[in-house]
Amino acid sequence: MEFLKELGFNDLVLHRIINSNDDSVIYNFIMDCDNVRDVINYFREIGIEVIDELLVRRLEVFSIDISKLKKQFDKYNVGVLVSLINEDISAINFL
Amino acid sequence: MLEQQNTLINLLKEQVDKNQEFLYGHDDQLDSSVQENEDLVNHLVSDIKSIDSIDFQKIEKLIRSFTFDDDETIDTMINEMSLIKEIITMNVEENTTVELESDELEAFDLFLNKVNEVINIQKEERASLQKRRDIVLNVTNKYVDLITMLTDPNNTSIIKDSSTLHLLFTKRKVEEKVKQRILVDLMKYNHEIFERQLKNIGIDEFNSSEVLMKNDVLQLFEKYGYQFSLLDMAVQNDILKYGRLSRMEIIFQALSENNFSKIDEVSKGKILFALLVNSSKEIIDNNTKLALEKGLQPDDLLQISNSLIKQSIYMKKEVEMFFSYVGSDSEHDLGFSYGDDNLLSFIKGAADDFSKNIALLESKGLMISVVFDKCKQLLVLSHELLRNNLSLFEKYGFSLMEKNAVVRPALTALMALNFADIADQFIEIHPLGIYYLRDNLSNLRSNVNPLDILFYNIYQASRVQVDADGKLVAAGPFVEVSDYHIVKLQLKGEITRFSKKYKYLPYCGITDLNKMEVTNTICPVFDNQVEYDSIMKNVVSFEIDDSIFEHDYIKAINSYSDQNEPLAYNFSGIRISKLKVLRVFDTLLKNRIAPSIDSFMFAVTYHTIINQEDYDRLAMIIRGCLQGGMA
């Protein structure tokens, strides 16, 4: 998962990801690293501040196809949804 | 077995023995002393006459441990207590009615206060010992894990816990030369495991019989419409090293025959590599056919590409990572990596899981195309984990459906690594916890540690607090939010995460390091804690035997079932998850632990966040139940 380091995530986050996820989920996450990069960049763009926590606790979200994910966000007031996610990552379930 | 393997096993065993001495020794002594003093105070408070039956030497010894400014006060108190005992003994034995004077009663009260002071000091000592004990217990478990791996001839896991090894070397004061010899042998050991993994999947030939010529590989790729040169250089090298022409040709053919689109060499090169090295025609044919029957397209499988891969293998990276530890004084765990951008270090096969998971999910009435759409990772999740989680899902009464549709959070919950512990914690931590969980099932997956800060935050927010004016206020961790006219519970923002809105400050100052101190909670200690923890750590199945419901201990606490929540006991306001008690106690009994107050209290308070006062109250109620039930 070295590509995450290039995106600014530290070893601690990587360790937490490994300890919090099934091997299969991690494997497919790595295999899908291009989409993961796009999702992380999109999340940063719209103001999500809890990307670390989402990576550790909801890794599968980063494997949602980026164009699908953007469409899902667009169904809501993005600012409000982002603010809810920043308060409680469970709000990602609105998608 | 390698030469130094025995040396390492012996070092580990010696340290485990030493740690166990520490874990058992102190606690017994301190615990019995606290208990003895508490019993003494309880007896004397409930009936002063009980002093008649107490050995005065015990009282004198206790008084001599009190802190006074001068020795004279100690002597005075001994004399006063001696006089009190004499008067009461005389009253009891000779039926006299001599009453204690007010100064004697004052002396008696002072004695009780001083005993309570001693008890409090002893409890603080115990808490401090307990903290140290937790650390020792944790590391002891890691030593035991290493012993288990090293003594198992069928072990297939690479030894990667370098930080624990480093600690062991320091504790046992291992000489540098010996340490180096052990580490070199461990490298060999890891190499053997690595070779065994390769052999198991039939690609050991790369070492001996076949050296791939780049031109042959280029031509093979071209034949099937691929450009080898577009692959990442590290992937190219790995294909040349691990690939076999005949196997690769079969895979290319199978992908083509099953109508897979061309896999992009640049962005999906690693997927292509993993398939070429570790798939088979049989798997591609069978799992693609299965997928088509369930409404999925062949290319869908490339999103969960390990559905087409046989077994898991570690590629060379882990072994090399371990090598880098040799000679290093770093306490960092350098032992494991899941891969990087250039090199694939770990291939996780899930072909079997895929077919078994489809059968299991269909047996629960789920449509596979819907599962793929909402949570495709479920299809390649470890089958055992999915089976366990589905079983627990039913036991805890959760629903996969909402308004007759399968909901993503419910499917997400099935990916939980620690389902039962997290569900139990939500049940126990707050009366609304289980309702919050039902509204937010994905929490089962997003929380792994039942002792995460989040739960201490909820615990703290549930306490009644005093505001600046000294007024009592109930903080409460939850708020109600409306989602399409359905009211759901959410946790307050300040409780869940550090967010900008709350200036990134931890809730009530709670951090991982101080969570127990700030919340004033304890981690109860048990006589056989090492065994209990070891059993719970290694438990793989959560099946609860029906016979446990008929166990005397379980029947004895039945009357404490919560009237409003069938999943909980309610011991005078202390909520305990019923399924937790059943699961943990049943697991202990299955592992030949004798039923006792110690083992039962371990089951009752397993991962419960509790303060000393509540724990004492709970222990008293449970003791009462068991003694009453057993009588």
Side-chain angles (χ1 to χ4, degrees):
Chain A
M1 284 188 289
E2 293 296 306
F3 73 98
L4 285 180
K5 284 192 188 171
E6 286 167 18
L7 290 166
F9 298 95
N10 59 27
D11 280 336
L12 180 65
V13 176
L14 265 60
H15 273 264
R16 289 180 66 208
I17 291 172
I18 290 168
N19 289 332
S20 308
N21 288 281
D22 179 70
D23 284 349
S24 249
V25 179
I26 294 175
Y27 178 79
N28 287 304
F29 171 83
I30 294 169
M31 293 293 106
D32 207 16
C33 61
D34 285 348
N35 192 67
V36 171
R37 268 197 203 95
D38 290 342
V39 173
I40 289 172
N41 288 332
Y42 173 64
F43 279 176
R44 283 177 172 164
E45 203 180 293
I46 59 177
I48 293 183
E49 296 165 355
V50 285
I51 299 177
D52 285 17
E53 292 304 319
L54 284 168
L55 280 167
V56 172
R57 295 163 188 268
R58 298 298 298 275
L59 198 64
E60 64 281 3
V61 168
F62 295 84
S63 295
I64 299 175
D65 180 79
I66 182 67
S67 53
K68 253 189 185 176
L69 190 79
K70 283 181 178 175
K71 274 183 199 162
Q72 284 173 326
F73 262 94
D74 287 342
K75 286 184 198 164
Y76 296 87
N77 178 326
V78 176
V80 172
L81 184 53
V82 166
S83 152
L84 286 173
I85 293 169
N86 283 339
E87 287 216 353
D88 181 354
I89 62 162
S90 300
I92 200 84
N93 292 331
F94 282 111
L95 294 179
Chain B
M1 188 175 276
L2 297 167
E3 195 188 332
Q4 295 300 321
Q5 210 166 315
N6 267 332
T7 314
L8 178 58
I9 292 169
N10 288 337
L11 282 170
L12 285 162
K13 284 183 176 169
E14 282 166 19
Q15 193 57 30
V16 167
D17 287 347
K18 193 161 181 271
N19 288 1
Q20 282 182 336
E21 252 173 52
F22 167 78
L23 290 168
Y24 290 128
H26 293 71
D27 290 333
D28 290 351
Q29 212 178 358
L30 201 54
D31 278 350
S32 64
S33 179
V34 172
Q35 190 61 52
E36 211 172 273
N37 291 339
E38 279 182 330
D39 288 348
L40 182 87
V41 171
N42 288 340
H43 281 123
L44 291 176
V45 167
S46 62
D47 183 6
I48 194 170
K49 285 182 195 157
S50 61
I51 197 171
D52 171 49
S53 58
I54 296 169
D55 180 358
F56 192 74
Q57 278 184 345
K58 199 194 273 182
I59 294 174
E60 189 178 333
K61 194 179 159 196
L62 200 52
I63 295 173
R64 293 204 181 279
S65 71
F66 294 165
T67 317
F68 286 115
D69 291 339
D70 54 63
D71 290 347
E72 208 179 304
T73 318
I74 291 181
D75 293 337
T76 309
M77 183 175 268
I78 292 172
N79 290 337
E80 284 167 336
M81 288 302 291
S82 170
L83 181 63
I84 292 169
K85 184 172 162 66
E86 270 176 40
I87 292 170
I88 288 174
T89 306
M90 186 179 72
N91 281 347
V92 171
E93 288 177 0
E94 296 176 24
N95 278 336
T96 53
T97 53
V98 180
E99 289 198 0
L100 294 174
E101 301 288 337
S102 63
D103 53 344
E104 285 157 356
L105 286 172
E106 264 176 40
F108 183 73
D109 282 344
L110 179 62
F111 169 78
L112 289 182
N113 287 338
K114 284 288 180 185
V115 180
N116 277 324
E117 270 177 29
V118 170
I119 292 172
N120 286 336
I121 291 168
Q122 285 177 325
K123 279 184 177 172
E124 275 172 26
E125 270 175 44
R126 190 168 62 173
S128 142
L129 253 180
Q130 203 170 288
K131 272 188 194 168
R132 178 154 164 60
R133 195 183 169 285
D134 288 342
I135 296 168
V136 175
L137 186 62
N138 185 287
V139 79
T140 306
N141 286 337
K142 287 183 178 175
Y143 292 148
V144 171
D145 286 347
L146 281 173
I147 294 172
T148 310
M149 283 166 85
L150 287 164
T151 51
D152 178 5
N154 299 318
N155 175 40
T156 53
S157 304
I158 283 171
I159 306 281
K160 59 200 179 192
D161 191 356
S162 53
S163 54
T164 300
L165 285 172
H166 186 82
L167 185 66
L168 176 78
F169 293 152
T170 312
K171 290 277 171 200
R172 302 307 303 162
K173 298 189 174 113
V174 178
E175 282 177 30
E176 192 58 31
K177 272 184 190 171
V178 179
K179 178 177 138 183
Q180 290 299 333
R181 278 205 295 272
I182 291 173
L183 287 169
V184 168
D185 256 15
L186 268 182
M187 280 191 276
K188 289 181 194 162
Y189 177 86
N190 280 346
H191 262 304
E192 280 178 15
I193 300 285
F194 174 58
E195 296 296 332
R196 201 181 302 162
Q197 288 173 341
L198 293 177
K199 200 170 182 178
N200 283 345
I201 61 161
I203 59 167
D204 53 328
E205 298 90 339
F206 78 87
N207 263 338
S208 53
S209 61
E210 188 176 2
V211 178
L212 287 185
M213 301 307 291
K214 195 171 177 181
N215 260 346
D216 295 339
V217 178
L218 251 68
Q219 281 174 11
L220 177 68
F221 269 64
E222 272 175 24
K223 184 177 169 186
Y224 290 94
Y226 286 85
Q227 282 190 61
F228 186 71
S229 59
L230 288 178
L231 292 168
D232 182 281
M233 191 52 75
V235 176
Q236 287 187 30
N237 290 337
D238 272 0
I239 286 178
L240 291 172
K241 189 168 183 182
Y242 296 106
R244 290 173 60 211
L245 273 182
S246 53
R247 178 194 292 269
M248 292 198 289
E249 172 129 37
I250 290 169
I251 304 296
F252 274 132
Q253 263 174 3
L255 290 172
S256 164
E257 283 165 14
N258 284 286
N259 298 319
F260 279 84
S261 303
K262 181 170 169 280
I263 298 169
D264 183 64
E265 298 93 331
V266 179
S267 61
K268 306 283 180 198
K270 282 186 283 190
I271 292 180
L272 185 61
F273 163 73
L275 291 175
L276 291 175
V277 169
N278 199 13
S279 186
S280 73
K281 176 176 167 52
E282 191 190 0
I283 285 174
I284 294 174
D285 286 349
N286 291 345
N287 281 2
T288 310
K289 185 173 171 238
L290 179 63
L292 283 167
E293 285 168 9
K294 305 303 169 194
L296 304 182
Q297 294 306 306
D299 287 353
D300 289 339
L301 296 186
L302 295 179
Q303 293 180 43
I304 41 172
S305 60
N306 57 348
S307 60
L308 300 170
I309 289 173
K310 286 197 284 189
Q311 301 168 43
S312 302
I313 52 164
Y314 291 96
M315 304 311 286
K316 63 185 187 303
K317 190 73 176 172
E318 277 70 28
V319 186
E320 285 177 356
M321 286 297 278
F322 187 84
F323 294 168
S324 67
Y325 172 74
V326 179
S328 160
D329 281 335
S330 164
E331 288 193 38
H332 244 20
D333 184 1
L334 299 171
F336 196 57
S337 158
Y338 265 92
D340 57 36
D341 280 351
N342 301 316
L343 201 62
L344 192 60
S345 59
F346 178 61
I347 298 180
K348 167 67 183 155
D352 284 351
D353 295 315
F354 178 73
S355 53
K356 286 180 187 167
N357 289 354
I358 284 182
L360 179 62
L361 290 164
E362 280 196 324
S363 75
K364 303 293 174 189
L366 295 170
M367 270 181 73
I368 300 307
S369 56
V370 173
V371 174
F372 181 84
D373 187 45
K374 291 180 186 288
C375 191
K376 55 182 175 271
Q377 290 83 356
L378 263 193
L379 300 179
V380 283
L381 199 71
S382 149
H383 178 66
E384 196 178 351
L385 181 66
L386 181 64
R387 192 166 42 81
N388 262 330
N389 283 352
L390 269 167
S391 160
L392 288 166
F393 212 82
E394 288 165 0
K395 282 194 175 81
Y396 281 87
F398 299 135
S399 171
L400 289 164
M401 318 285 274
E402 197 175 276
K403 293 183 191 168
N404 296 324
V406 181
V407 285
R408 181 181 282 134
L411 295 178
T412 304
L414 294 176
M415 293 165 68
L417 290 191
N418 208 356
F419 191 114
D421 286 342
I422 299 300
D424 293 333
Q425 197 60 285
F426 273 108
I427 289 168
E428 294 185 353
I429 202 76
H430 192 281
L432 293 176
I434 185 67
Y435 298 100
Y436 167 76
L437 192 56
R438 283 177 187 141
D439 284 348
N440 301 273
L441 282 169
S442 63
N443 269 275
L444 286 162
R445 182 262 181 281
S446 57
N447 293 291
V448 174
N449 179 3
L451 299 175
D452 188 272
I453 297 175
L454 174 73
F455 296 108
Y456 284 86
N457 288 352
I458 300 175
Y459 176 88
Q460 193 71 349
S462 313
R463 306 291 100 181
V464 174
Q465 296 179 349
V466 179
D467 68 10
D469 302 324
K471 246 172 76 181
L472 287 177
V473 286
F478 300 106
V479 285
E480 285 184 342
V481 296
S482 180
D483 174 18
Y484 286 106
H485 309 299
I486 298 173
V487 176
K488 288 186 171 187
L489 283 175
Q490 288 287 320
L491 278 164
K492 288 178 181 169
E494 67 265 36
I495 285 169
T496 50
R497 287 294 108 220
F498 307 165
S499 80
K500 200 174 172 182
K501 185 174 169 187
Y502 300 100
K503 299 177 183 169
Y504 301 106
L505 289 173
Y507 178 71
C508 291
I510 297 171
T511 67
D512 244 336
L513 293 175
N514 69 11
K515 59 192 179 188
M516 287 172 71
E517 278 165 17
V518 173
T519 55
N520 197 26
T521 51
I522 57 151
C523 179
V525 181
F526 301 92
D527 293 345
N528 295 317
Q529 181 106 28
V530 178
E531 283 94 327
Y532 302 158
D533 284 340
S534 165
I535 290 167
M536 292 312 294
K537 195 178 172 203
N538 295 317
V539 66
V540 285
S541 168
F542 297 111
E543 294 303 318
I544 299 172
D545 272 0
D546 287 347
S547 60
I548 196 70
F549 293 94
E550 293 304 313
H551 195 283
D552 286 344
Y553 284 19
I554 297 295
K555 287 201 288 191
I557 60 169
N558 271 348
S559 59
Y560 283 93
S561 290
D562 193 299
Q563 299 301 310
N564 303 314
E565 178 46 64
L567 289 172
Y569 294 111
N570 188 334
F571 297 98
S572 302
I574 303 165
R575 278 175 311 282
I576 296 293
S577 166
K578 273 186 182 175
L579 283 167
K580 176 189 81 174
V581 179
L582 294 168
R583 176 171 55 90
V584 178
F585 193 50
D586 187 45
T587 303
L588 293 183
L589 298 185
K590 276 179 189 158
N591 284 277
R592 292 190 286 279
I593 294 290
S596 64
I597 287 188
D598 191 65
S599 57
F600 195 60
M601 277 304 288
F602 175 83
V604 170
T605 58
Y606 185 65
H607 288 154
T608 297
I609 296 176
I610 193 165
N611 62 28
Q612 185 70 53
E613 191 187 328
D614 281 349
Y615 179 79
D616 291 343
R617 200 153 51 91
L618 178 65
M620 198 177 73
I621 295 171
I622 298 284
R623 272 202 195 94
C625 286
L626 300 196
Q627 280 156 6
M630 302 297 103

